[in-house]
């Protein structure tokens, strides 16, 4: 009987140990799965756009404890710039701050971009032009800067303005070096230097569309344009009134200065044509018919035969087939 009791006790003890071992293994497996689930919930953000001066854990990882999200882990790049955080650096930060994340491949990375507001090259050029005028440069002129791709990136919370705090000007060569300042009299004040050259401009009339030889230029076919003075020929037409109503004798490319040799006054009276002769004085106004003895443009003095008197007189061409008698020159 005693032997049976001892055997039964050993059997119960063995059963208890097996149950405890099975429970321990089950508990360990559950903990492992929970840890794996927590790790899988924390994901790497492939890129982040940030406004401030620091990179935080929340910029890098999603699914972390909200109390950890605002922890700063690195300085942000300069406004408008980027920085790449590789898998080694990321894993080190995760371990340092007890973030249950590990890289899956060596390609894991985060691209951090610092948001910015931009001052463009056109805004800088406008500021330089104002500074040049203040230093006595006569308008009109245009400005060429040494770097047409130059831009200034400011923090999103910075004062968006630009001033020329200083300018070194050589009037003989027309070159300058300007100090471009942003955020003046603030903690975010920055100064950049940029060089360039200004060019005086000449305003001349140009055709806005092709006009063929022999055609008369209409007012809607010509307008004023600015050109660098050094590129405008000395004999170019400067007054738009010297273009309108003229006849093209040598075709000119649109948007280019025109020469006097390219145009002529159109023939309003042709030799042999019948014309109306007008004589206007303070006391009378007479008209007569005549016959032109030569060609004439507006303003030209030509000879015509007065058909009423059969006399040759000198007249001034005023319009197409219309002339004005010159009393002092009448024959």
């Amino acid at each position: 009987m005693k032997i049976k009791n001892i055997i039964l006790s050993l059997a119960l003890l063995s059963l208890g140990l097996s149950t405890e071992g099975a429970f321990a293994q089950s508990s360990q497996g559950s903990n492992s799965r929970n840890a794996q689930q927590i790790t899988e919930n924390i994901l790497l953000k492939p890129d982040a756009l940030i406004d401030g001066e620091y990179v935080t854990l929340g910029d890098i990882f999603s699914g972390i404890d909200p109390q950890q999200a605002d922890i700063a882990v690195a300085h942000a790049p300069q406004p408008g710039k980027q920085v790449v955080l590789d898998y080694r650096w990321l894993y080190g930060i995760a371990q340092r701050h007890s973030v249950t994340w590990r890289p899956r491949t060596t390609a894991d990375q985060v691209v951090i971009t610092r948001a910015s507001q931009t001052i463009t090259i056109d805004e800088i050029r406008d500021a330089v032009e104002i500074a040049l005028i203040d230093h006595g440069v006569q308008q009109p002129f245009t400005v060429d800067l040494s770097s047409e791709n130059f831009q200034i990136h400011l923090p999103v919370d910075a004062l968006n303005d630009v001033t020329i705090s200083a300018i070194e000007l050589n009037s003989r060569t027309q070159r300058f070096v300007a100090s471009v300042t942003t955020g003046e009299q603030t903690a975010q004040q920055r100064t950049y230097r940029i060089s360039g050259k200004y060019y005086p401009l000449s305003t001349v009339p140009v055709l806005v569309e092709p006009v063929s030889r022999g055609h008369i230029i209409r007012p809607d076919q010509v307008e004023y344009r600015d050109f660098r003075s050094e590129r405008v020929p000395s004999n170019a037409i400067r007054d738009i009134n010297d273009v309108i109503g003229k006849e093209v004798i040598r075709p000119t490319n649109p948007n280019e200065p025109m020469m006097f040799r390219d145009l002529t006054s159109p023939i309003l009276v042709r030799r042999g044509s019948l014309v109306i002769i007008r004589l206007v004085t303070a006391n009378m106004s007479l008209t007569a018919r005549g016959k032109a003895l030569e060609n004439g443009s507006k303003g030209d003095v030509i000879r015509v035969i007065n058909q009423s008197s059969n006399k040759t007189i000198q007249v001034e061409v005023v319009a197409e087939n219309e002339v004005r008698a010159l009393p002092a020159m009448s024959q």
Side-chain angles (χ1 to χ4, degrees):
M1 188 65 179
K2 287 183 178 180
I3 294 174
K4 287 184 179 180
N5 289 337
I6 292 171
I7 293 173
L8 180 59
S9 298
L10 290 175
L12 291 174
L13 179 62
S14 175
L15 180 61
L17 290 174
S18 298
T19 304
E20 184 178 353
F23 176 78
Q25 290 179 358
S26 175
S27 177
Q28 183 177 2
S30 177
N31 290 338
S32 177
R33 286 193 298 272
N34 289 339
Q36 183 179 1
Q37 185 176 5
I38 292 173
T39 303
E40 290 177 352
N41 288 338
I42 297 178
L43 301 176
L44 193 66
K45 296 181 179 179
D47 51 66
L49 179 65
I50 64 175
D51 296 337
E53 299 180 3
Y54 299 97
V55 180
T56 66
L57 284 176
D59 296 325
I60 299 173
F61 301 106
S62 64
I64 62 174
D65 186 336
Q67 294 182 353
Q68 290 183 295
D70 294 331
I71 296 176
V73 294
H75 284 281
Q78 291 298 313
K81 301 295 184 180
Q82 289 184 338
V83 66
V84 179
L85 308 178
D86 66 12
Y87 74 99
R88 290 191 184 91
W89 189 91
L90 293 169
Y91 187 45
I93 286 296
Q95 289 183 313
R96 187 178 309 166
H97 294 278
S98 302
V99 176
T100 54
W101 175 88
R102 64 173 57 245
R104 296 183 178 182
T105 71
T106 57
D108 283 348
Q109 64 178 28
V110 177
V111 179
I112 303 292
T113 303
R114 177 83 175 271
S116 68
Q117 49 182 329
T118 304
I119 295 178
T120 66
I121 193 67
D122 290 333
E123 294 175 281
I124 297 171
R125 184 183 291 107
D126 290 343
V128 168
E129 288 179 357
I130 293 173
L132 289 173
I133 293 171
D134 292 341
H135 280 71
V137 177
Q138 296 297 315
Q139 295 177 289
F141 62 87
T142 186
V143 169
D144 275 0
L145 298 176
S146 56
S147 176
E148 289 298 322
N149 296 322
F150 181 70
Q151 290 181 332
I152 297 176
H153 291 274
L154 302 177
V156 293
D157 59 344
L159 181 64
N160 188 352
D161 68 340
V162 58
T163 58
I164 305 302
S165 52
I167 190 165
E168 302 168 14
L169 176 62
N170 187 323
S171 300
R172 183 180 61 84
T173 62
Q174 300 170 0
R175 295 189 176 277
F176 61 85
V177 178
S179 297
V180 183
T181 299
T182 61
E184 194 171 27
Q185 297 181 349
T186 70
Q188 296 171 324
Q189 177 173 323
R190 298 290 185 275
T191 298
Y192 311 83
R193 287 173 66 83
I194 189 168
S195 60
K197 184 176 180 179
Y198 72 90
Y199 297 88
L201 298 177
S202 294
T203 304
V204 298
V206 299
L207 294 175
V208 298
E209 62 185 18
V211 179
S212 302
R213 180 178 180 180
H215 285 69
I216 308 301
I217 298 175
R218 304 188 310 269
D220 63 316
Q221 292 178 311
V222 61
E223 67 181 18
Y224 280 113
R225 293 277 178 85
D226 288 333
F227 292 88
R228 291 184 183 178
S229 297
E230 62 186 14
R231 297 179 180 177
V232 178
S234 58
N235 59 342
I237 300 174
R238 309 282 174 158
D239 191 340
I240 201 169
N241 294 315
D242 292 330
V243 177
I244 297 173
K246 299 297 183 180
E247 180 182 344
V248 176
I249 58 175
R250 183 179 303 173
T252 301
N253 293 328
N255 304 314
E256 290 186 3
M258 290 180 286
M259 310 296 131
F260 283 100
R261 65 173 181 265
D262 300 330
L263 309 176
T264 188
S265 297
I267 303 300
L268 299 179
V269 175
R270 297 193 176 275
R271 180 182 178 183
S273 63
L274 297 178
V275 297
I276 296 176
I277 305 170
R278 299 186 185 276
L279 175 61
V280 180
T281 68
N283 301 320
M284 63 178 180
S285 177
L286 301 175
T287 61
R289 286 186 170 277
K291 185 176 182 179
L293 298 179
E294 52 192 332
N295 294 334
S297 301
K298 186 175 182 178
D300 289 347
V301 175
I302 63 173
R303 294 175 300 123
V304 301
I305 297 175
N306 186 333
Q307 291 182 329
S308 299
S309 63
N310 206 30
K311 288 184 177 181
T312 300
I313 61 174
Q314 287 186 309
V315 296
E316 179 187 358
V317 178
V318 295
E320 187 173 4
N321 293 329
E322 186 176 329
V323 297
R324 181 174 66 88
L326 303 175
M329 296 184 176
S330 298
Q331 297 180 0

PDB file of all heavy atoms in Angstrom, residues 173-200:
ATOM      1  N   THR A 173      33.333 100.766 -65.772  1.00  0.00           N
ATOM      2  CA  THR A 173      33.101  99.430 -66.313  1.00  0.00           C
ATOM      3  C   THR A 173      31.647  98.985 -66.166  1.00  0.00           C
ATOM      4  O   THR A 173      31.251  97.963 -66.700  1.00  0.00           O
ATOM      5  CB  THR A 173      33.993  98.397 -65.608  1.00  0.00           C
ATOM      6  OG1 THR A 173      33.648  98.362 -64.204  1.00  0.00           O
ATOM      7  CG2 THR A 173      35.464  98.772 -65.763  1.00  0.00           C
ATOM      8  N   GLN A 174      30.867  99.775 -65.391  1.00  0.00           N
ATOM      9  CA  GLN A 174      29.450  99.471 -65.120  1.00  0.00           C
ATOM     10  C   GLN A 174      29.287  98.179 -64.329  1.00  0.00           C
ATOM     11  O   GLN A 174      28.213  97.566 -64.344  1.00  0.00           O
ATOM     12  CB  GLN A 174      28.653  99.412 -66.432  1.00  0.00           C
ATOM     13  CG  GLN A 174      28.684 100.711 -67.216  1.00  0.00           C
ATOM     14  CD  GLN A 174      28.105 100.584 -68.608  1.00  0.00           C
ATOM     15  OE1 GLN A 174      27.666  99.506 -69.009  1.00  0.00           O
ATOM     16  NE2 GLN A 174      28.117 101.664 -69.359  1.00  0.00           N
ATOM     17  N   ARG A 175      30.311  97.772 -63.602  1.00  0.00           N
ATOM     18  CA  ARG A 175      30.239  96.573 -62.779  1.00  0.00           C
ATOM     19  C   ARG A 175      30.010  96.945 -61.317  1.00  0.00           C
ATOM     20  O   ARG A 175      30.338  98.057 -60.889  1.00  0.00           O
ATOM     21  CB  ARG A 175      31.514  95.735 -62.918  1.00  0.00           C
ATOM     22  CG  ARG A 175      31.710  95.170 -64.319  1.00  0.00           C
ATOM     23  CD  ARG A 175      32.852  94.175 -64.382  1.00  0.00           C
ATOM     24  NE  ARG A 175      32.968  93.583 -65.703  1.00  0.00           N
ATOM     25  CZ  ARG A 175      32.243  92.556 -66.131  1.00  0.00           C
ATOM     26  NH1 ARG A 175      31.369  91.984 -65.298  1.00  0.00           N
ATOM     27  NH2 ARG A 175      32.395  92.071 -67.349  1.00  0.00           N
ATOM     28  N   PHE A 176      29.476  95.994 -60.556  1.00  0.00           N
ATOM     29  CA  PHE A 176      29.176  96.249 -59.153  1.00  0.00           C
ATOM     30  C   PHE A 176      29.271  94.956 -58.350  1.00  0.00           C
ATOM     31  O   PHE A 176      29.209  93.850 -58.898  1.00  0.00           O
ATOM     32  CB  PHE A 176      27.765  96.847 -59.000  1.00  0.00           C
ATOM     33  CG  PHE A 176      26.675  95.945 -59.489  1.00  0.00           C
ATOM     34  CD1 PHE A 176      26.130  94.959 -58.666  1.00  0.00           C
ATOM     35  CD2 PHE A 176      26.190  96.055 -60.789  1.00  0.00           C
ATOM     36  CE1 PHE A 176      25.131  94.116 -59.131  1.00  0.00           C
ATOM     37  CE2 PHE A 176      25.183  95.210 -61.251  1.00  0.00           C
ATOM     38  CZ  PHE A 176      24.659  94.249 -60.421  1.00  0.00           C
ATOM     39  N   VAL A 177      29.417  95.128 -57.037  1.00  0.00           N
ATOM     40  CA  VAL A 177      29.307  94.022 -56.076  1.00  0.00           C
ATOM     41  C   VAL A 177      28.337  94.488 -55.001  1.00  0.00           C
ATOM     42  O   VAL A 177      28.553  95.523 -54.366  1.00  0.00           O
ATOM     43  CB  VAL A 177      30.666  93.657 -55.457  1.00  0.00           C
ATOM     44  CG1 VAL A 177      30.485  92.539 -54.430  1.00  0.00           C
ATOM     45  CG2 VAL A 177      31.658  93.235 -56.533  1.00  0.00           C
ATOM     46  N   ALA A 178      27.258  93.738 -54.799  1.00  0.00           N
ATOM     47  CA  ALA A 178      26.204  94.128 -53.862  1.00  0.00           C
ATOM     48  C   ALA A 178      26.164  93.178 -52.675  1.00  0.00           C
ATOM     49  O   ALA A 178      26.368  91.970 -52.826  1.00  0.00           O
ATOM     50  CB  ALA A 178      24.846  94.149 -54.565  1.00  0.00           C
ATOM     51  N   SER A 179      25.897  93.734 -51.492  1.00  0.00           N
ATOM     52  CA  SER A 179      25.665  92.938 -50.287  1.00  0.00           C
ATOM     53  C   SER A 179      24.156  92.812 -50.098  1.00  0.00           C
ATOM     54  O   SER A 179      23.471  93.805 -49.834  1.00  0.00           O
ATOM     55  CB  SER A 179      26.300  93.614 -49.067  1.00  0.00           C
ATOM     56  OG  SER A 179      27.704  93.689 -49.213  1.00  0.00           O
ATOM     57  N   VAL A 180      23.656  91.598 -50.250  1.00  0.00           N
ATOM     58  CA  VAL A 180      22.218  91.330 -50.162  1.00  0.00           C
ATOM     59  C   VAL A 180      21.913  90.818 -48.762  1.00  0.00           C
ATOM     60  O   VAL A 180      22.418  89.770 -48.353  1.00  0.00           O
ATOM     61  CB  VAL A 180      21.787  90.293 -51.228  1.00  0.00           C
ATOM     62  CG1 VAL A 180      20.282  90.077 -51.169  1.00  0.00           C
ATOM     63  CG2 VAL A 180      22.216  90.745 -52.612  1.00  0.00           C
ATOM     64  N   THR A 181      21.080  91.550 -48.030  1.00  0.00           N
ATOM     65  CA  THR A 181      20.784  91.211 -46.631  1.00  0.00           C
ATOM     66  C   THR A 181      19.325  90.816 -46.478  1.00  0.00           C
ATOM     67  O   THR A 181      18.430  91.478 -47.012  1.00  0.00           O
ATOM     68  CB  THR A 181      21.098  92.402 -45.709  1.00  0.00           C
ATOM     69  OG1 THR A 181      22.489  92.721 -45.815  1.00  0.00           O
ATOM     70  CG2 THR A 181      20.778  92.061 -44.259  1.00  0.00           C
ATOM     71  N   THR A 182      19.099  89.733 -45.740  1.00  0.00           N
ATOM     72  CA  THR A 182      17.736  89.293 -45.414  1.00  0.00           C
ATOM     73  C   THR A 182      17.567  89.312 -43.903  1.00  0.00           C
ATOM     74  O   THR A 182      18.534  89.168 -43.156  1.00  0.00           O
ATOM     75  CB  THR A 182      17.469  87.881 -45.941  1.00  0.00           C
ATOM     76  OG1 THR A 182      18.388  86.956 -45.320  1.00  0.00           O
ATOM     77  CG2 THR A 182      17.647  87.815 -47.443  1.00  0.00           C
ATOM     78  N   GLY A 183      16.298  89.488 -43.461  1.00  0.00           N
ATOM     79  CA  GLY A 183      16.015  89.497 -42.024  1.00  0.00           C
ATOM     80  C   GLY A 183      16.786  90.564 -41.282  1.00  0.00           C
ATOM     81  O   GLY A 183      17.283  90.328 -40.177  1.00  0.00           O
ATOM     82  N   GLU A 184      16.897  91.744 -41.892  1.00  0.00           N
ATOM     83  CA  GLU A 184      17.710  92.815 -41.305  1.00  0.00           C
ATOM     84  C   GLU A 184      17.224  93.177 -39.907  1.00  0.00           C
ATOM     85  O   GLU A 184      16.026  93.281 -39.643  1.00  0.00           O
ATOM     86  CB  GLU A 184      17.672  94.040 -42.219  1.00  0.00           C
ATOM     87  CG  GLU A 184      18.735  95.081 -41.895  1.00  0.00           C
ATOM     88  CD  GLU A 184      18.798  96.171 -42.947  1.00  0.00           C
ATOM     89  OE1 GLU A 184      17.771  96.423 -43.610  1.00  0.00           O
ATOM     90  OE2 GLU A 184      19.873  96.762 -43.107  1.00  0.00           O
ATOM     91  N   GLN A 185      18.205  93.347 -38.997  1.00  0.00           N
ATOM     92  CA  GLN A 185      17.954  93.713 -37.600  1.00  0.00           C
ATOM     93  C   GLN A 185      17.120  92.668 -36.856  1.00  0.00           C
ATOM     94  O   GLN A 185      16.341  92.983 -35.963  1.00  0.00           O
ATOM     95  CB  GLN A 185      17.277  95.086 -37.518  1.00  0.00           C
ATOM     96  CG  GLN A 185      18.151  96.208 -38.065  1.00  0.00           C
ATOM     97  CD  GLN A 185      17.488  97.564 -37.953  1.00  0.00           C
ATOM     98  OE1 GLN A 185      16.306  97.674 -37.663  1.00  0.00           O
ATOM     99  NE2 GLN A 185      18.259  98.616 -38.180  1.00  0.00           N
ATOM    100  N   THR A 186      17.268  91.400 -37.244  1.00  0.00           N
ATOM    101  CA  THR A 186      16.642  90.294 -36.515  1.00  0.00           C
ATOM    102  C   THR A 186      17.718  89.253 -36.219  1.00  0.00           C
ATOM    103  O   THR A 186      18.835  89.306 -36.748  1.00  0.00           O
ATOM    104  CB  THR A 186      15.512  89.642 -37.325  1.00  0.00           C
ATOM    105  OG1 THR A 186      16.078  88.925 -38.447  1.00  0.00           O
ATOM    106  CG2 THR A 186      14.524  90.676 -37.833  1.00  0.00           C
ATOM    107  N   ALA A 187      17.352  88.285 -35.384  1.00  0.00           N
ATOM    108  CA  ALA A 187      18.313  87.226 -35.047  1.00  0.00           C
ATOM    109  C   ALA A 187      18.629  86.352 -36.250  1.00  0.00           C
ATOM    110  O   ALA A 187      19.640  85.635 -36.261  1.00  0.00           O
ATOM    111  CB  ALA A 187      17.746  86.368 -33.907  1.00  0.00           C
ATOM    112  N   GLN A 188      17.792  86.397 -37.273  1.00  0.00           N
ATOM    113  CA  GLN A 188      17.990  85.560 -38.462  1.00  0.00           C
ATOM    114  C   GLN A 188      18.614  86.338 -39.616  1.00  0.00           C
ATOM    115  O   GLN A 188      18.535  85.917 -40.760  1.00  0.00           O
ATOM    116  CB  GLN A 188      16.649  84.964 -38.895  1.00  0.00           C
ATOM    117  CG  GLN A 188      16.053  84.024 -37.847  1.00  0.00           C
ATOM    118  CD  GLN A 188      14.640  83.611 -38.176  1.00  0.00           C
ATOM    119  OE1 GLN A 188      13.850  84.389 -38.704  1.00  0.00           O
ATOM    120  NE2 GLN A 188      14.293  82.369 -37.862  1.00  0.00           N
ATOM    121  N   GLN A 189      19.247  87.478 -39.322  1.00  0.00           N
ATOM    122  CA  GLN A 189      19.859  88.291 -40.378  1.00  0.00           C
ATOM    123  C   GLN A 189      21.003  87.542 -41.038  1.00  0.00           C
ATOM    124  O   GLN A 189      21.846  86.956 -40.384  1.00  0.00           O
ATOM    125  CB  GLN A 189      20.366  89.613 -39.798  1.00  0.00           C
ATOM    126  CG  GLN A 189      21.092  90.482 -40.830  1.00  0.00           C
ATOM    127  CD  GLN A 189      21.441  91.860 -40.273  1.00  0.00           C
ATOM    128  OE1 GLN A 189      20.674  92.442 -39.512  1.00  0.00           O
ATOM    129  NE2 GLN A 189      22.604  92.381 -40.653  1.00  0.00           N
ATOM    130  N   ARG A 190      20.997  87.541 -42.371  1.00  0.00           N
ATOM    131  CA  ARG A 190      22.063  86.933 -43.167  1.00  0.00           C
ATOM    132  C   ARG A 190      22.429  87.876 -44.299  1.00  0.00           C
ATOM    133  O   ARG A 190      21.564  88.582 -44.844  1.00  0.00           O
ATOM    134  CB  ARG A 190      21.613  85.585 -43.747  1.00  0.00           C
ATOM    135  CG  ARG A 190      21.267  84.520 -42.724  1.00  0.00           C
ATOM    136  CD  ARG A 190      22.490  84.006 -41.994  1.00  0.00           C
ATOM    137  NE  ARG A 190      22.150  82.918 -41.099  1.00  0.00           N
ATOM    138  CZ  ARG A 190      21.710  83.065 -39.861  1.00  0.00           C
ATOM    139  NH1 ARG A 190      21.555  84.289 -39.362  1.00  0.00           N
ATOM    140  NH2 ARG A 190      21.421  82.018 -39.108  1.00  0.00           N
ATOM    141  N   THR A 191      23.696  87.903 -44.687  1.00  0.00           N
ATOM    142  CA  THR A 191      24.162  88.758 -45.778  1.00  0.00           C
ATOM    143  C   THR A 191      24.905  87.919 -46.804  1.00  0.00           C
ATOM    144  O   THR A 191      25.749  87.087 -46.454  1.00  0.00           O
ATOM    145  CB  THR A 191      25.073  89.881 -45.256  1.00  0.00           C
ATOM    146  OG1 THR A 191      24.330  90.722 -44.367  1.00  0.00           O
ATOM    147  CG2 THR A 191      25.582  90.745 -46.413  1.00  0.00           C
ATOM    148  N   TYR A 192      24.584  88.125 -48.073  1.00  0.00           N
ATOM    149  CA  TYR A 192      25.210  87.414 -49.187  1.00  0.00           C
ATOM    150  C   TYR A 192      25.777  88.463 -50.155  1.00  0.00           C
ATOM    151  O   TYR A 192      25.230  89.557 -50.293  1.00  0.00           O
ATOM    152  CB  TYR A 192      24.190  86.549 -49.922  1.00  0.00           C
ATOM    153  CG  TYR A 192      23.354  85.663 -49.021  1.00  0.00           C
ATOM    154  CD1 TYR A 192      22.229  86.178 -48.377  1.00  0.00           C
ATOM    155  CD2 TYR A 192      23.684  84.340 -48.821  1.00  0.00           C
ATOM    156  CE1 TYR A 192      21.453  85.371 -47.541  1.00  0.00           C
ATOM    157  CE2 TYR A 192      22.911  83.528 -47.989  1.00  0.00           C
ATOM    158  CZ  TYR A 192      21.793  84.056 -47.348  1.00  0.00           C
ATOM    159  OH  TYR A 192      21.033  83.267 -46.536  1.00  0.00           O
ATOM    160  N   ARG A 193      26.855  88.118 -50.847  1.00  0.00           N
ATOM    161  CA  ARG A 193      27.450  89.039 -51.825  1.00  0.00           C
ATOM    162  C   ARG A 193      27.240  88.477 -53.225  1.00  0.00           C
ATOM    163  O   ARG A 193      27.443  87.284 -53.461  1.00  0.00           O
ATOM    164  CB  ARG A 193      28.939  89.256 -51.536  1.00  0.00           C
ATOM    165  CG  ARG A 193      29.149  90.120 -50.301  1.00  0.00           C
ATOM    166  CD  ARG A 193      30.601  90.196 -49.902  1.00  0.00           C
ATOM    167  NE  ARG A 193      31.445  90.886 -50.870  1.00  0.00           N
ATOM    168  CZ  ARG A 193      31.577  92.213 -50.925  1.00  0.00           C
ATOM    169  NH1 ARG A 193      30.884  92.988 -50.092  1.00  0.00           N
ATOM    170  NH2 ARG A 193      32.391  92.772 -51.792  1.00  0.00           N
ATOM    171  N   ILE A 194      26.839  89.366 -54.121  1.00  0.00           N
ATOM    172  CA  ILE A 194      26.615  88.966 -55.507  1.00  0.00           C
ATOM    173  C   ILE A 194      27.115  90.081 -56.420  1.00  0.00           C
ATOM    174  O   ILE A 194      26.954  91.269 -56.124  1.00  0.00           O
ATOM    175  CB  ILE A 194      25.118  88.665 -55.766  1.00  0.00           C
ATOM    176  CG1 ILE A 194      24.925  88.048 -57.145  1.00  0.00           C
ATOM    177  CG2 ILE A 194      24.249  89.896 -55.585  1.00  0.00           C
ATOM    178  CD1 ILE A 194      23.538  87.464 -57.358  1.00  0.00           C
ATOM    179  N   SER A 195      27.752  89.703 -57.513  1.00  0.00           N
ATOM    180  CA  SER A 195      28.311  90.676 -58.447  1.00  0.00           C
ATOM    181  C   SER A 195      27.497  90.695 -59.738  1.00  0.00           C
ATOM    182  O   SER A 195      26.666  89.816 -59.985  1.00  0.00           O
ATOM    183  CB  SER A 195      29.769  90.338 -58.758  1.00  0.00           C
ATOM    184  OG  SER A 195      29.861  89.040 -59.354  1.00  0.00           O
ATOM    185  N   GLY A 196      27.749  91.716 -60.539  1.00  0.00           N
ATOM    186  CA  GLY A 196      27.020  91.827 -61.800  1.00  0.00           C
ATOM    187  C   GLY A 196      27.435  93.059 -62.579  1.00  0.00           C
ATOM    188  O   GLY A 196      28.420  93.738 -62.249  1.00  0.00           O
ATOM    189  N   LYS A 197      26.664  93.363 -63.609  1.00  0.00           N
ATOM    190  CA  LYS A 197      26.941  94.509 -64.475  1.00  0.00           C
ATOM    191  C   LYS A 197      25.619  95.087 -64.942  1.00  0.00           C
ATOM    192  O   LYS A 197      24.651  94.351 -65.174  1.00  0.00           O
ATOM    193  CB  LYS A 197      27.781  94.081 -65.673  1.00  0.00           C
ATOM    194  CG  LYS A 197      28.204  95.217 -66.593  1.00  0.00           C
ATOM    195  CD  LYS A 197      29.123  94.722 -67.700  1.00  0.00           C
ATOM    196  CE  LYS A 197      29.540  95.878 -68.604  1.00  0.00           C
ATOM    197  NZ  LYS A 197      30.464  95.428 -69.685  1.00  0.00           N
ATOM    198  N   TYR A 198      25.571  96.431 -65.044  1.00  0.00           N
ATOM    199  CA  TYR A 198      24.364  97.069 -65.571  1.00  0.00           C
ATOM    200  C   TYR A 198      24.639  97.607 -66.973  1.00  0.00           C
ATOM    201  O   TYR A 198      25.774  97.957 -67.311  1.00  0.00           O
ATOM    202  CB  TYR A 198      23.860  98.170 -64.636  1.00  0.00           C
ATOM    203  CG  TYR A 198      24.712  99.422 -64.605  1.00  0.00           C
ATOM    204  CD1 TYR A 198      24.464 100.478 -65.492  1.00  0.00           C
ATOM    205  CD2 TYR A 198      25.744  99.569 -63.684  1.00  0.00           C
ATOM    206  CE1 TYR A 198      25.234 101.627 -65.462  1.00  0.00           C
ATOM    207  CE2 TYR A 198      26.519 100.715 -63.657  1.00  0.00           C
ATOM    208  CZ  TYR A 198      26.261 101.742 -64.541  1.00  0.00           C
ATOM    209  OH  TYR A 198      27.032 102.873 -64.517  1.00  0.00           O
ATOM    210  N   TYR A 199      23.593  97.652 -67.793  1.00  0.00           N
ATOM    211  CA  TYR A 199      23.708  98.086 -69.180  1.00  0.00           C
ATOM    212  C   TYR A 199      22.665  99.167 -69.462  1.00  0.00           C
ATOM    213  O   TYR A 199      21.463  98.925 -69.288  1.00  0.00           O
ATOM    214  CB  TYR A 199      23.474  96.919 -70.137  1.00  0.00           C
ATOM    215  CG  TYR A 199      24.483  95.801 -70.025  1.00  0.00           C
ATOM    216  CD1 TYR A 199      24.293  94.760 -69.108  1.00  0.00           C
ATOM    217  CD2 TYR A 199      25.616  95.768 -70.818  1.00  0.00           C
ATOM    218  CE1 TYR A 199      25.205  93.737 -68.995  1.00  0.00           C
ATOM    219  CE2 TYR A 199      26.540  94.743 -70.720  1.00  0.00           C
ATOM    220  CZ  TYR A 199      26.333  93.726 -69.803  1.00  0.00           C
ATOM    221  OH  TYR A 199      27.239  92.705 -69.693  1.00  0.00           O
ATOM    222  N   PRO A 200      23.086 100.372 -69.880  1.00  0.00           N
ATOM    223  CA  PRO A 200      22.114 101.396 -70.289  1.00  0.00           C
ATOM    224  C   PRO A 200      21.280 100.898 -71.470  1.00  0.00           C
ATOM    225  O   PRO A 200      21.754 100.124 -72.307  1.00  0.00           O
ATOM    226  CB  PRO A 200      22.997 102.584 -70.693  1.00  0.00           C
ATOM    227  CG  PRO A 200      24.295 102.355 -69.981  1.00  0.00           C
ATOM    228  CD  PRO A 200      24.475 100.871 -69.930  1.00  0.00           C
TER     229      PRO A 200
END
